[in-house]
Structures are given as C-alpha cells and as structure tokens.
Amino acid sequence: MASKFEELINYRREIGNFDKACTLINWDMETATPKMGTDTMVEMMGALSTKAFEMRTSEKMEQLIDAVLEPSEFEQLDQYMQKAVKEMKKNFEENKRIPVEFHTEYTMHMAKAQEVWRTAKRENNYEAFKPYLEKNISYTKQLYAYIKGEGKGNYDSMLDDYERGMDMATIDKLFDELKEELIPLVKAIVSKPQPDRSKFTRSLDVNKQKEFSRYLLEYIGFDFDRGVMAESEHPFTTNIDRNDVRLTNHYYENDFLNAAFSIIHEGGHGIYEQNVHGRFEHTPLSECSYMGLHESQSRMFENVLGRNINFWKPVMPKFYELFPEMSDVTVEELYREVNRVQNGLVRIDSDEVTYCFHIILRYELEREMFNGNVSVDDLPKHWADKMEEYLGIRPETDAEGVMQDTHWSGGMFGYFPSYLLGSIYDGMFLEKIEEELGNVDTILAEGRIKDITKWLNEKIHTYGRYREPKEVIQAVCGKELSVKPLIKYFKEKYTDIYGL
Amino acid sequence: MASKFEELINYRREIGNFDKACTLINWDMETATPKMGTDTMVEMMGALSTKAFEMRTSEKMEQLIDAVLEPSEFEQLDQYMQKAVKEMKKNFEENKRIPVEFHTEYTMHMAKAQEVWRTAKRENNYEAFKPYLEKNISYTKQLYAYIKGEGKGNYDSMLDDYERGMDMATIDKLFDELKEELIPLVKAIVSKPQPDRSKFTRSLDVNKQKEFSRYLLEYIGFDFDRGVMAESEHPFTTNIDRNDVRLTNHYYENDFLNAAFSIIHEGGHGIYEQNVHGRFEHTPLSECSYMGLHESQSRMFENVLGRNINFWKPVMPKFYELFPEMSDVTVEELYREVNRVQNGLVRIDSDEVTYCFHIILRYELEREMFNGNVSVDDLPKHWADKMEEYLGIRPETDAEGVMQDTHWSGGMFGYFPSYLLGSIYDGMFLEKIEEELGNVDTILAEGRIKDITKWLNEKIHTYGRYREPKEVIQAVCGKELSVKPLIKYFKEKYTDIYGL
C-alpha cells in the first residue's frame, strides 16, 4: 500500500500532467502556432489550467497534505521532503483563496494580452496595448490580494513571489548603492573612445548562427538528450521537467553576437533546470521559481564567463570554421566588442553594466505603478524621463521604450529586479569559485568551463528550490548579500578595458 | 438560455480542449521532444486522453445527446447538424463499450510503441520492435472487439473505421482488378530504358529545400496564416482545428525531389483540413476521418497534378532562383525523373504506379495477420515473398522492409488501403475536373492550379466528413466507384512517357 506521502506525490503528479500540458501550449504559442491558431490555444490553456487549478485547490488535495502533516507521518520524512510538504501547504493555502473563475479569466486574459502585445510592439501601437496593460495591472493586484488575503497584496508580495525574501526596502538599498557607484563609472567609460564595430555587423548566415548556438550550448554543458533549442521572437527557457528543458533563440543576419549571448544566457537557465536533483520531481522543490537565483545562473554564463576573453580562446577554432568570413577577427577584438559599454535604449541589447540601469528603471516604474504614482497613460513619459536621467537618452518609439519587453504583457510584475539581483549574487559566487577552483581566467582558457558548470551543479542547481535565495548565498558564500563584489568586478574589468 | 443543441456542442467543445492538447503532444513528440522527454509526454498524453475519454463516455454526454435526439429538438436541426448528432450517438455507443482503463493503457502503449519503433528502425532491430507489434495487434483486436460489441470486431471493422463503407470484399475486388491490369503494365515499363538520374542527386542546401517546400505549399493554396510546416522523420499532417493545420517534411541533401513531393502530398491533406466549413467546428463533421477520401486529396496534388509536366512549367523560375546549380535541368528532364517507374523497396520513395503494389502487399498482410494466417514472427518472410511476387525484389533489412512505415507502430491497422482507394477516387475526380473546368494540362500550364484547389474546396473539402466516401463519389462524379479511370490514366501516361 502506498504511504500517505506517496499518495500525495501521486496526486501532484496527476496535476502535473495538466500543468505540463499548459507549459507545452505556451511553448508552442511562442515557437509554432500559426497566427489564426492562437484563440484555440488560449482556450485550451484556459481549460487545462482550470482543471489543474481545481485539482490543486480541491478538498482531496487538502486532505492529502494534512494527512502528511500529521506528526506521525511528517517525522518520517527527511528535511527535503518536509520542506516540500510545507511548500505544498503554503501553495495550497494561497491558491485556495483564488476563485476558480478568476483564475481561468486571469490565465486566458494574460495569454491574450501577450498576443496583443506581440502585434502592438511590431506595429509600435501602444494605444492598442494600453487597455490590456491596464487590465494586467488590475488583474495582478487582484491576484495578489487573493493570494495574501484580501487587502494585503502589494508590490512587496510580487517581489517575494519572484524572489522569496525580497522586498522594496532591501532592493531599494541594494540598488541605491549600485547607482551611487555605477553612475560615475558609466560616465567615465562612455567618455572614452570606442573601438570600430564594423567587423561585427557583417552578414552571417542564420543557419550557421543556429549551428554556432548549438555548439555553444554543448560547450557550456547543456544536455541535448534532455533539451531542445527552437526559435522565437524573444529568447526564453521553459521546461516540461528536468529531462525536457526547452530554450529558444532569435537570429539577426547582421548581429551574430546577439544570438550567441542570448543562447549562452538561456543555456545558463537550462543547465540549472537540467541539474535539479531527480528525487525532487513532482514536488515544489523541482520548480526553480526563485528568479533572482535563476538569473544568477544565466547571467553567470552570459556575463561573468561569456564576456571573459578566456571563454573565447578555446571557442575560436569552431567560430572560424563556421564563419570563414570572420577569419580576420582576433579574439581580442571580439572581447572588446562584447564588452562595449554604450548607452542604449533596449535592455536585451545592452552591455553588462548599463543593463543595471535598465533594471533599476523598470523596478522603480513598477514600484510606482503599484503604489499608484504612475498611470498607464503616463508610463511612456516616465520611462523616457528615467532613461534620460540614467543613460542620457530618450526612446523615439514605444516599441523601443515601454513595450520592448514581454514581462508586463504576461502579468509578470516584480520579475525585473531578479536580473540585477542575479548579477549581485554572481559577484559573490565568482569570489567563491576562485577561492575553491582557482583562477577563472585559467580554467576558461584551458577549455575547462565544465568544471565551473559542475561546481554550480553541485553547489546550487541540485538543490532546486530547497533553499531560499538568502540561504543559498549564506550556504555557498558564507556571508550576507552585498553589492560590493559586483562593484569590484565591474571596476576592475572596465578599468582594464577602457583604461580608466 | 442555450438550446439543448448548444449545450451539447459546448460540452463537446470542452472535451475538444483535451483532445487538442493530445494532438499537440503528439505533434511535439514528432517534431520537438528531446529523447529523454518522451516518457513524460507519454504520461501526459495518457492523463489528458483519459480525461477526454471519461467526458466523452460520461452520463452527461449521453443525456445531452439523447436530449437532442428527442424529435422536438432533432427536427429543428438542419440536415448537417442532424447527421452530426447521429455521429455523436454512434461514437458514444462505440466508446462507451471501451473500458476507461483499457483506453488509457492502449493510448500510452501506442505512444510508447511508436517511440520503440523509431529506435528499432534506426538500428534495424526487428527483434526489439516485435513484442510491441505483437501487443499492438492484440490491443487493436481488443479495441475493435469492444467497439463493435464483444466478438464482432475484425479486420472489416478496421477498414470501415478508416474508410466508412469499405470492407474486404469490396477492396479485394478493386485491388484484384488493379493487379490484373498493372502487373503487365509495370513489366512493360521496366523493360524500357531509364533516363540518367545524375542531375537529381546533386547536393542541394537543405535550407533552400525548406524554402522551396514553403513556396510549393503556398503555390498550391495552403494558407500559412492558418498552418505551419515543421520537420520530422516521416512527413505527416495533423490539425488542432481548421485554423491550425500542421504539416511536416523531411530533407535529404542529395534528394530534393523527396522533400518536394512529400510536401505537395501533405499540402493536399492540409488544404482539405483548412477548407472544411467553419460551422462544422466542435462537431464530428469537422473531423475528416475518412482516410481514403483524405488520401485522394493528398495524392491528387502529389501525383495527378504534381507529376504533370505542366505543374512544373510555372514553378521553374522559382526553382532556378533557389537552386542556380540546377540551371541545366530542363522541365522535360524533371518531368521524366518524377515519373521514373522502378521496382523499389520503400513505399514512400516509390513511383505512382508501383506504389499500388506497396499498398496491396500491406493490405494483404494485414488481412492475413488479423485472420490469423500470418504471425509477427513470420511477417518479414511473408513481406519479402510478396515483394518478390509483385516487384521482383527482396528487402535486405527489416528497416527497409517490414519496419519502414510508422502505421503499425501506432496501431493503425486498416489504414494502408486508404492510399490506394484515394488514387482510385482521383482517377474519377480527374475525369470530372476536366469535364467541368476544362483541360487540366492547360490550367496547370497557365499557373492556375488554385482553380483546381478551389473546385476541390467546393466539391469535397467544405463538406468535411458530412458525406461518406461512396456518397462523395456519387455526388461529385454521378457514378459508382470504379478502377477504370485510374487504369486509363496510368496507361495513357506511361504509354506516352515510356513509349510502350
């Protein structure tokens, strides 16, 4: 006979089938669904997520969880599964407060809003997107009001939802410290001369770029037996489970570096998902939903490792083989190009350091939107003003301004800070890697990047979301979260590159 | 308030969401799922199809159908919706006899068996596939025994399931007439000299081939706003609904004609699905499940139109543009090559006329397997013997013999005859097209193939599966089914090409 715990896991596994089908529908909508097929997909998503939601909030679920929470059962579990069951209880309590009809409406609205955003962005038509954005905000407020109990949902709840333990007070402090150091650093950098970029805008065959993307993923340790790579407008990572992790990339004929770094970034996410311990499957511990921690992994590969000159040294032979027309590009030139610091309008095209301001801007706007100080009507103006304040430039269109990212179109408010938190964590992880594995430059130059991947697998990935972000920092680095290592990393790197 | 009929349709629409998710999972398994992700997909498929099956065979379904079958309700419906409801009743009765657990087991087993087949074929390992094939046969027997009522399921039931109204008696007669005429015809053809094929084995860029496939699909009238094209080992067509019709193709560097004709074939299936009348949605009339009729549409485009020299005349400029290395290929040479008749081992690589024997062989083996005269152990030998009898050749491996097709691996027994029935119908449709639209050579040469597509849309596609195959023949051609037009078409065509 199955134990109470096994019964619970089996029921969660059943629910998982419906959740996974929703993930698949979402993946398909981004990578395959034809234009006219969207409405049906949205309807399917609504039906399946409703079914999953009903099961997740059912009396049966409650009974199964509570049975395992009985001390006689609970004490038989190890610390991991105890944590898993506590998480289930927390999720159950939160979900139970959301009315089924609201959940269905919310899910279908968000799927539709993303579709509208896609077209509106293409046509630079903020007016078309605005009513959806407005609704996204009110739906999100309502969602968190339900989750936290009527009246208690606010922007802090959203931050906590994407990065457990984070709130405005903590983030304000971290980001303010960063601003103080980075505003003068960026000013100093951009006053320096820039290298010529013309070699890097040469037209390179898109299919060769795909091959190169695949090569890079394998090089950093992504497992294609348990993952796939496809194409979508905006690169992203999703997963059915740890054995089916899915990445996308996008390609521009005259900007191969865009695809290369996008895929290294997504690869970091994917490697995390692929390396969560197998025994966490069908439990919340397998759902790596702490997004700052997740972004620390993608940004570790993309920036800390990928923008190091030594990353490229062992990769150049493959690069020259695929792109013989680039045989006159030296690894030094490539390194300089991928570390060009320039004030630009678009987050995903920006360099490692000005990127921080793209995030701070979004964070501050979200915070003010949910605090009622910025309206959807005024959003483009506030956006432009902040861009000017931090980077000295203003967007000419909403497509390259307020509509550039997918997040708000899907109701992901509170996600943006994760990117920068990820970099802050990376500063700390980098120190620890050097302490434990030795000089990163040497490891990379010797083509041993997978040693670092393995270290990350063992120190971070395998735990899934067993540990909360602050616990991870403490466990891995043995100290409190601080922006100092990141600032040190930036200063050393750019002082060298730009001769400050 | 919704009418009884609307209530029924709404419920069917709900079920449809789960069915469509299964279609999507299946599509994904063929086009995207990584190797290690298969088991999870199979499990998802099991859960979702069980849910759909439970709804389809529920008391609620029965009550909804019966309520609409009440004369006071039924008489308010037009002939189409009356037929739709009668089909629902038939399907309900049949499904109700299948135990839910059997249905789940069956579905999951077949998904797994297809996966096993894929590997077994690649590794030419019939031993690995055999136990699955054996189980496929016994599961299929059991399935039809349930559907038709215990003890009544047999090979005739399967034939009827794939092509309503067909049985062994009818097919034996049609196929025997064909054999009588075609065995001497093929003998005469293959005794003649063959043209040189070397120009057609040149290496052509696979990405250009994809572009050409896309061009051909648009040329014949496939609508990419309501459809997509992807890649899979074996080309196929599926659809979420009429607004989301999905085709795949496969590509070989040294055999561009394979991809070109595969996609024209799948395009014919896809055009049928895209042009079923919109008001049939959520009813059985939108499910074009008469496979002979379906194959008549794919084979009309692939063979009757696609292997006509005049099809290619307006296409050649695009062909030369995409493949400048083929500029020395004349349209006459291309025409000759795509009508090369040769005794080959592989069905999907075979020409229009020897193809008939590939089908007759499979039909006869299926018939004897289900009649208990051929065992799975002996199958390869019987296969080889029949190949020798009809085409004078024997396969050297099971991969190019009994394991070459996907059908049996997925439990599709009774499907194969559909291909040849489709060609027989096409002989009759061709006569009628010429009567109503004029000379097909002229229409094609003038680049007006879409006139024929439109004729097929109006005469056949729009009706979905409202009319049964024999009714379609009667309604469109005004006469009984006969192999004579097909034989006449073959004789004229090959007499001309091979100078018989």
Side-chain angles (χ1 to χ4, degrees):
Chain A
M1 224 196 92
S3 73
K4 297 284 177 197
F5 179 70
E6 283 163 353
E7 279 179 43
L8 173 59
I9 295 299
N10 285 339
Y11 189 59
R12 261 199 129 254
R13 183 171 178 155
E14 273 180 57
I15 302 173
N17 286 318
F18 294 92
D19 283 331
K20 287 167 184 174
C22 290
T23 303
L24 184 65
I25 292 169
N26 204 60
W27 160 266
D28 193 88
M29 284 177 72
E30 300 284 343
T31 59
T33 311
K35 197 167 110 187
M36 302 286 285
T38 306
D39 288 348
T40 299
M41 287 288 173
V42 171
E43 186 178 332
M44 285 158 65
M45 176 89 93
L48 268 65
S49 75
T50 300
K51 171 75 186 158
F53 187 75
E54 282 169 359
M55 292 172 81
R56 192 177 292 124
T57 55
S58 66
E59 268 180 48
K60 180 173 176 183
M61 186 65 170
E62 185 161 30
Q63 284 160 5
L64 287 167
I65 294 173
D66 288 346
V68 180
L69 283 172
E70 287 293 323
S72 59
E73 293 288 329
F74 193 69
E75 282 156 17
Q76 290 176 39
L77 304 178
D78 66 18
Q79 54 176 341
Y80 299 104
M81 292 305 125
Q82 286 187 348
K83 170 90 179 184
V85 177
K86 280 191 209 157
E87 279 295 310
M88 288 184 213
K89 181 71 176 176
K90 177 179 189 293
N91 295 344
F92 177 80
E93 296 291 346
E94 290 181 352
N95 280 320
K96 204 181 57 176
R97 286 194 283 265
I98 307 172
V100 178
E101 311 72 47
F102 175 80
H103 181 267
T104 309
E105 261 182 57
Y106 173 88
T107 309
M108 293 180 67
H109 170 78
M110 290 304 173
K112 184 73 195 167
Q114 283 209 289
E115 203 52 34
V116 169
W117 163 74
R118 243 186 292 276
T119 310
K121 180 181 173 183
R122 200 160 35 237
E123 296 169 357
N124 187 38
N125 184 357
Y126 182 63
E127 285 304 309
F129 177 51
K130 219 169 62 180
Y132 284 85
L133 179 57
E134 194 131 34
K135 193 116 196 183
N136 285 10
I137 292 170
S138 60
Y139 265 125
T140 303
K141 279 184 185 166
Q142 183 60 62
L143 178 70
Y144 285 93
Y146 283 129
I147 290 177
K148 297 294 163 190
E150 201 61 57
K152 285 194 218 141
N154 55 24
Y155 188 53
D156 268 345
S157 326
M158 302 167 206
L159 293 173
D160 182 75
D161 201 21
Y162 288 106
E163 190 71 347
R164 185 79 59 89
M166 279 296 155
D167 54 25
M168 290 184 267
T170 311
I171 293 177
D172 281 345
K173 188 171 166 293
L174 292 168
F175 286 8
D176 285 347
E177 275 180 63
L178 268 177
K179 276 202 275 189
E180 203 180 297
E181 295 280 352
L182 295 188
I183 289 179
L185 179 67
V186 169
K187 278 218 175 103
I189 294 171
V190 298
S191 71
K192 294 283 179 178
Q194 298 283 10
D196 176 58
R197 95 176 321 161
S198 57
K199 285 182 182 176
F200 298 93
T201 57
R202 288 178 190 159
S203 165
L204 296 184
D205 181 58
V206 161
N207 291 301
K208 293 281 181 204
Q209 291 192 44
K210 286 183 194 171
E211 218 178 312
F212 191 48
S213 292
R214 208 183 147 91
Y215 171 83
L216 288 170
L217 282 178
E218 278 174 339
Y219 182 71
I220 65 174
F222 183 78
D223 178 0
F224 273 102
D225 280 348
R226 306 195 289 127
V228 292
M229 180 184 82
E231 207 172 334
S232 66
E233 187 169 332
H234 189 94
F236 70 97
T237 300
T238 188
N239 65 320
I240 307 290
D241 59 23
R242 65 194 290 274
N243 289 322
D244 188 350
V245 176
R246 299 177 174 221
L247 319 178
T248 67
N249 203 2
H250 58 185
Y251 303 93
Y252 305 102
E253 222 179 79
N254 293 98
D255 186 6
F256 80 96
L257 286 172
N258 194 314
F261 280 86
S262 293
I263 208 62
I264 299 173
H265 176 96
E266 300 307 330
H269 284 303
I271 287 168
Y272 183 6
E273 295 287 354
Q274 287 186 331
N275 290 286
V276 174
H277 202 291
R279 65 177 298 232
F280 292 170
E281 260 191 279
H282 312 300
T283 82
L285 305 188
S286 71
E287 296 152 12
C288 306
S289 55
Y290 302 145
M291 297 319 299
L293 198 56
H294 229 306
E295 292 298 338
S296 78
Q297 300 311 293
S298 52
R299 299 173 71 70
M300 171 63 74
F301 283 96
E302 179 193 348
N303 293 331
V304 179
L305 306 176
R307 296 186 202 274
N308 183 316
I309 190 167
N310 299 288
F311 174 92
W312 289 93
K313 287 176 183 166
V315 169
M316 293 311 278
K318 186 71 187 179
F319 175 71
Y320 294 135
E321 179 198 319
L322 284 171
F323 307 109
E325 60 270 61
M326 299 295 275
S327 60
D328 61 339
V329 174
T330 65
V331 70
E332 288 77 16
E333 285 171 318
L334 195 144
Y335 172 63
R336 268 305 276 111
E337 179 59 24
V338 304
N339 288 293
R340 167 194 299 275
V341 175
Q342 212 161 17
N343 293 333
L345 292 166
V346 179
R347 176 180 64 87
I348 58 167
D349 297 340
S350 70
D351 58 87
E352 204 176 340
V353 60
T354 61
Y355 190 94
C356 303
F357 293 108
H358 286 274
I359 297 308
I360 293 171
L361 171 156
R362 284 158 178 76
Y363 162 70
E364 290 172 345
L365 289 177
E366 281 187 349
R367 191 186 60 195
E368 297 312 314
M369 279 198 285
F370 283 94
N371 289 343
N373 301 324
V374 168
S375 72
V376 163
D377 282 324
D378 299 339
L379 191 60
K381 189 189 171 303
H382 285 285
W383 181 289
D385 289 348
K386 279 207 181 282
M387 278 305 275
E388 186 141 23
E389 183 189 344
Y390 295 142
L391 298 177
I393 48 178
R394 297 181 78 87
E396 287 185 17
T397 68
D398 293 322
E400 57 177 15
V402 69
M403 282 199 295
Q404 67 181 265
D405 298 303
T406 182
H407 305 61
W408 291 346
S409 79
M412 294 165 76
F413 300 100
Y415 188 111
F416 279 121
S418 311
Y419 294 105
L420 189 43
L421 291 170
S423 287
I424 296 170
Y425 303 165
D426 281 342
M428 299 188 68
F429 294 147
L430 176 61
E431 278 191 353
K432 202 68 191 174
I433 290 170
E434 298 227 297
E435 207 179 300
E436 298 196 356
L437 295 184
N439 184 265
V440 163
D441 293 344
T442 311
I443 298 170
L444 292 176
E446 292 175 4
R448 295 189 289 113
I449 188 169
K450 285 192 183 111
D451 289 356
I452 299 173
T453 306
K454 189 159 165 278
W455 187 91
L456 294 166
N457 292 163
E458 287 167 2
K459 297 284 174 177
I460 299 169
H461 305 162
T462 191
Y463 294 95
R465 74 160 188 189
Y466 170 65
R467 298 179 308 196
E468 295 183 7
K470 285 175 183 167
E471 293 169 345
V472 175
I473 296 296
Q474 194 62 51
V476 175
C477 308
K479 45 176 108 155
E480 295 282 298
L481 184 58
S482 155
V483 296
K484 290 201 173 60
L486 178 65
I487 291 169
K488 177 167 172 277
Y489 161 80
F490 277 148
K491 282 193 175 164
E492 284 178 7
K493 177 167 182 174
Y494 293 108
T495 299
D496 181 47
I497 292 176
Y498 279 92
L500 303 179
Chain B
M1 222 194 94
S3 72
K4 297 283 178 199
F5 178 70
E6 283 163 352
E7 279 180 40
L8 173 60
I9 293 299
N10 284 340
Y11 190 59
R12 261 197 128 257
R13 183 171 177 155
E14 273 180 56
I15 302 172
N17 285 319
F18 295 92
D19 284 330
K20 287 168 186 174
C22 290
T23 303
L24 184 66
I25 292 168
N26 204 60
W27 161 265
D28 193 87
M29 285 176 72
E30 300 284 343
T31 59
T33 310
K35 196 166 113 188
M36 301 287 284
T38 306
D39 288 347
T40 298
M41 286 288 173
V42 171
E43 184 177 333
M44 284 159 66
M45 176 90 92
L48 267 64
S49 75
T50 300
K51 170 74 186 160
F53 187 76
E54 282 170 356
M55 292 172 81
R56 194 179 289 123
T57 55
S58 65
E59 270 180 46
K60 179 172 177 184
M61 187 67 169
E62 185 160 31
Q63 283 160 6
L64 287 169
I65 295 172
D66 288 346
V68 180
L69 284 171
E70 287 294 322
S72 59
E73 293 289 329
F74 193 70
E75 282 155 17
Q76 289 176 38
L77 304 177
D78 67 19
Q79 54 177 338
Y80 299 104
M81 293 304 123
Q82 285 187 349
K83 171 89 177 184
V85 176
K86 280 190 209 158
E87 280 295 311
M88 289 184 214
K89 181 71 177 175
K90 178 179 187 293
N91 294 345
F92 176 80
E93 295 291 347
E94 290 180 354
N95 281 321
K96 204 181 55 177
R97 286 193 284 263
I98 308 171
V100 177
E101 310 71 47
F102 175 81
H103 181 265
T104 308
E105 262 183 55
Y106 172 89
T107 308
M108 291 178 68
H109 169 78
M110 290 303 172
K112 185 71 194 169
Q114 283 208 286
E115 203 50 35
V116 170
W117 162 76
R118 243 186 294 273
T119 310
K121 180 181 172 182
R122 198 161 36 236
E123 296 168 357
N124 187 38
N125 183 357
Y126 182 63
E127 284 304 310
F129 178 50
K130 220 169 62 179
Y132 285 85
L133 179 57
E134 194 130 36
K135 193 114 197 185
N136 284 10
I137 292 169
S138 62
Y139 265 125
T140 303
K141 279 183 184 164
Q142 184 59 60
L143 178 70
Y144 285 94
Y146 284 129
I147 289 176
K148 297 294 164 188
E150 200 60 55
K152 284 193 215 140
N154 56 23
Y155 188 54
D156 268 345
S157 326
M158 301 166 206
L159 294 172
D160 182 75
D161 201 22
Y162 287 106
E163 190 71 347
R164 184 79 59 87
M166 280 295 155
D167 54 24
M168 289 185 265
T170 311
I171 293 177
D172 282 346
K173 189 169 165 295
L174 292 168
F175 286 7
D176 285 347
E177 276 181 60
L178 268 177
K179 276 202 272 191
E180 204 180 295
E181 296 280 352
L182 295 188
I183 288 179
L185 179 67
V186 169
K187 279 216 173 105
I189 294 171
V190 298
S191 70
K192 294 285 179 177
Q194 298 282 11
D196 176 60
R197 94 178 320 163
S198 57
K199 286 182 181 174
F200 297 94
T201 56
R202 288 179 190 157
S203 164
L204 297 184
D205 180 60
V206 160
N207 291 301
K208 293 281 182 200
Q209 291 191 46
K210 285 184 195 170
E211 215 178 316
F212 191 48
S213 291
R214 205 182 151 91
Y215 172 83
L216 288 169
L217 282 178
E218 277 174 339
Y219 183 71
I220 66 176
F222 183 79
D223 178 0
F224 273 101
D225 280 348
R226 304 195 290 126
V228 292
M229 181 183 83
E231 209 171 334
S232 67
E233 186 167 335
H234 189 94
F236 71 96
T237 301
T238 188
N239 65 322
I240 307 290
D241 60 21
R242 65 195 291 274
N243 289 323
D244 187 349
V245 176
R246 301 179 174 217
L247 318 178
T248 67
N249 203 2
H250 57 186
Y251 303 92
Y252 305 102
E253 220 178 81
N254 294 98
D255 185 6
F256 80 96
L257 286 171
N258 194 315
F261 280 86
S262 292
I263 209 60
I264 298 173
H265 176 97
E266 300 307 329
H269 284 304
I271 287 169
Y272 183 5
E273 295 287 354
Q274 288 186 328
N275 289 285
V276 174
H277 202 293
R279 65 176 300 230
F280 293 170
E281 259 190 280
H282 313 300
T283 82
L285 305 188
S286 70
E287 295 151 12
C288 306
S289 55
Y290 302 147
M291 296 319 298
L293 198 57
H294 229 308
E295 292 299 338
S296 77
Q297 299 311 293
S298 52
R299 299 174 70 70
M300 171 63 75
F301 282 96
E302 179 193 348
N303 294 330
V304 179
L305 306 176
R307 296 187 202 274
N308 183 315
I309 190 169
N310 300 287
F311 174 92
W312 289 93
K313 287 176 183 167
V315 169
M316 293 311 279
K318 185 71 189 181
F319 176 71
Y320 294 136
E321 180 198 319
L322 284 171
F323 306 109
E325 60 271 59
M326 298 296 272
S327 61
D328 61 339
V329 174
T330 66
V331 71
E332 289 77 16
E333 286 171 319
L334 192 145
Y335 172 63
R336 267 306 275 110
E337 179 59 24
V338 304
N339 288 293
R340 166 193 301 273
V341 175
Q342 213 159 17
N343 293 334
L345 292 166
V346 179
R347 177 180 64 88
I348 57 166
D349 297 340
S350 71
D351 59 85
E352 204 176 341
V353 62
T354 61
Y355 189 94
C356 302
F357 294 107
H358 286 274
I359 297 309
I360 292 171
L361 170 154
R362 285 159 178 77
Y363 162 70
E364 291 172 346
L365 288 177
E366 282 187 349
R367 193 187 58 197
E368 297 313 312
M369 279 197 284
F370 283 93
N371 290 342
N373 301 325
V374 168
S375 73
V376 162
D377 282 325
D378 300 339
L379 193 59
K381 188 189 171 305
H382 286 284
W383 181 289
D385 290 346
K386 279 208 181 279
M387 277 304 275
E388 184 140 28
E389 181 188 345
Y390 296 143
L391 297 176
I393 47 178
R394 296 182 79 89
E396 287 186 17
T397 69
D398 293 321
E400 58 178 12
V402 69
M403 280 199 297
Q404 66 182 265
D405 300 303
T406 181
H407 304 63
W408 291 345
S409 78
M412 293 164 76
F413 300 100
Y415 188 111
F416 280 122
S418 312
Y419 295 106
L420 190 43
L421 290 170
S423 287
I424 296 171
Y425 303 164
D426 280 342
M428 299 189 69
F429 294 148
L430 175 61
E431 279 191 354
K432 203 64 190 177
I433 291 169
E434 297 228 295
E435 209 179 298
E436 297 195 357
L437 296 183
N439 185 265
V440 163
D441 293 345
T442 311
I443 298 169
L444 291 176
E446 292 174 3
R448 293 189 290 111
I449 190 171
K450 287 195 181 105
D451 290 356
I452 298 173
T453 307
K454 190 161 165 277
W455 187 91
L456 294 165
N457 292 163
E458 287 167 2
K459 297 283 175 177
I460 299 169
H461 307 163
T462 189
Y463 293 96
R465 73 159 189 192
Y466 170 65
R467 299 178 309 196
E468 294 182 7
K470 285 176 183 168
E471 293 170 344
V472 175
I473 298 295
Q474 195 61 52
V476 175
C477 308
K479 46 176 104 156
E480 294 282 300
L481 184 57
S482 157
V483 297
K484 291 202 173 60
L486 179 64
I487 291 169
K488 178 167 171 277
Y489 160 80
F490 277 148
K491 284 193 172 163
E492 286 178 4
K493 178 166 180 172
Y494 293 107
T495 299
D496 182 46
I497 292 175
Y498 278 92
L500 302 181

